[in-house]
Amino acid sequence: MKRKKKGNLFKQDRARIFKDKRGDPYQQKQKLPDPTLCPNCGAVFTKGRWSWESIEFVENEKLCPACQRIEDGYPAGFVEVEGDFYQTHREEILHLFRNLEEQETQEHPMERIMRITEEDGKTVITTTGMHLPRMIGDALKNSYQGDLEISYDAESIARVHWVR
Ligand SMILES: [Zn+2]
């Protein structure tokens, strides 16, 4: 795993991180009743994981970690993409992100895109899971080459930067 300091690239987001909490508040270490339904997205926690499994009768409801992150505005991953090549292939590349998300979310309901925003000529994608950013980064590199950097900080937040 390559770690690289990115200066103050994500300074603003870093400041939002809950410094006073130990570890990742979204890692559901506590036992949820099996099954538990997320009333927001319909994901079901059963057999130790969240899935889209349909369950006849669910008595317990709790917001899943992905919906909780979206509600709190607290991403697990950031992808920044920029560059002249990106700008001229923007639509195509944004489409790639959505396709990747769709595939990944089917298997892993906690891996979703939260928001896609434009900041200073860069596109910033935030995600609810820490694996999706890496998948997006790898897909960019495989499809378009360019320069890719992936790092994970102490809070297990994935940070991907791609430029071409
Ligand atoms: Zn949910």
Side-chain angles (χ1 to χ4, degrees), residues 38 40-43 63-64 67 112:
C38 174
N40 191 54
C41 70
L63 216 52
C64 72
C67 289
R112 301 176 204 164

Side-chain angles (χ1 to χ4, degrees), residues 67-81:
C67 289
Q68 189 66 57
R69 280 185 184 278
I70 291 166
E71 192 175 285
D72 296 346
Y74 183 68
F78 295 83
V79 181
E80 278 199 350
V81 292

Side-chain angles (χ1 to χ4, degrees), residues 92 94-104 113:
E92 179 188 330
L94 289 175
H95 193 66
L96 171 78
F97 296 158
R98 287 300 183 189
N99 280 344
L100 280 171
E101 181 202 19
E102 204 174 308
Q103 286 170 27
E104 180 66 4
I113 288 177

